[in-house]
Amino acid sequence: GVSAYCTARGRLMLTKTKPQPVGEYTLPMNMGETLIPHTDISIRITSFEISNDFDKQAENTLVLFGEWEDLKKELVWRNRREGDVILRGKMHRQLRRLWAEKGISIEIRQALPLLCCGEEIVWAPFVGMSDDLKEKNAKDDKSSAYKIEINVQNNAF
């Protein structure tokens, strides 16, 4: 949040800058890496084979099971909207509060991508899966696995 410039007299001046608002966005599910406009946040989706050393507790990672074409048709990315909730523990919880409990700044909250099925949020980074996605995402031996990672540059947390 700081920019620097030189004055005509050769002095270094520092000024505080405000983050650029992200604005609303909706992004399709695409394999590979997708950058979120006006942010240092990216979404990376890759095919994945589950191994014993996979960290299931990573807060910015999700593994989805299913056929890619079906997942791609059902799911989209969007940013947070006022009043968004996620179904956790059979209760609708406000994303704003869940992220605040984790210490995530307002600017980052506005930019973080949410995985949605229709209007329902099924996964939020640093929060986890909705109850509905947990049921749908039960591992099937015939299913393919896809790893989704949210990368926030400069360790914004």
Side-chain angles (χ1 to χ4, degrees):
V2 176
S3 65
Y5 65 95
C6 258
T7 65
R9 294 185 183 191
R11 290 188 175 171
L12 180 64
M13 299 297 291
L14 301 174
T15 59
K16 189 173 181 179
T17 58
K18 292 184 180 179
Q20 180 179 0
V22 175
E24 279 201 27
Y25 65 82
T26 303
L27 301 169
M29 290 279 288
N30 290 325
M31 291 290 277
E33 190 156 4
T34 303
L35 293 173
I36 296 173
H38 309 294
T39 70
D40 290 333
I41 300 173
S42 65
I43 304 165
R44 183 180 307 133
I45 303 176
T46 55
S47 295
F48 185 68
E49 272 193 45
I50 297 212
S51 61
N52 291 338
D53 61 342
F54 173 64
D55 183 8
K56 295 177 184 172
Q57 301 303 314
E59 295 180 317
N60 64 335
T61 303
L62 169 68
V63 175
L64 286 177
F65 296 98
E67 296 304 319
W68 178 248
E69 290 304 316
D70 296 337
L71 294 171
K72 195 166 97 168
K73 287 177 191 172
E74 293 178 8
L75 303 172
V76 295
W77 296 103
R78 71 165 173 84
N79 62 329
R80 188 180 83 81
R81 297 177 187 148
E82 195 62 39
D84 271 342
V85 294
I86 188 167
L87 184 62
R88 300 283 313 250
K90 299 181 183 178
M91 293 175 33
H92 284 94
R93 305 276 318 271
Q94 290 185 341
L95 276 178
R96 171 181 63 87
R97 291 180 190 247
L98 293 170
W99 278 331
E101 289 170 7
K102 300 263 184 189
I104 297 173
S105 72
I106 292 170
E107 293 83 15
I108 298 295
R109 290 182 221 168
Q110 292 296 334
L112 280 174
L114 303 173
L115 188 60
C116 299
C117 184
E119 288 298 311
E120 179 187 358
I121 298 169
V122 294
W123 182 72
F126 308 100
V127 170
M129 281 190 262
S130 72
D131 293 348
D132 292 338
L133 185 60
K134 284 180 186 176
E135 290 174 19
K136 290 179 190 174
N137 204 38
K139 185 178 177 184
D140 178 358
D141 291 335
K142 299 174 188 168
S143 294
S144 300
Y146 300 93
K147 182 177 178 182
I148 299 173
E149 296 175 278
I150 305 299
N151 297 306
V152 181
Q153 301 300 318
N154 304 325
N155 295 324
F157 306 110

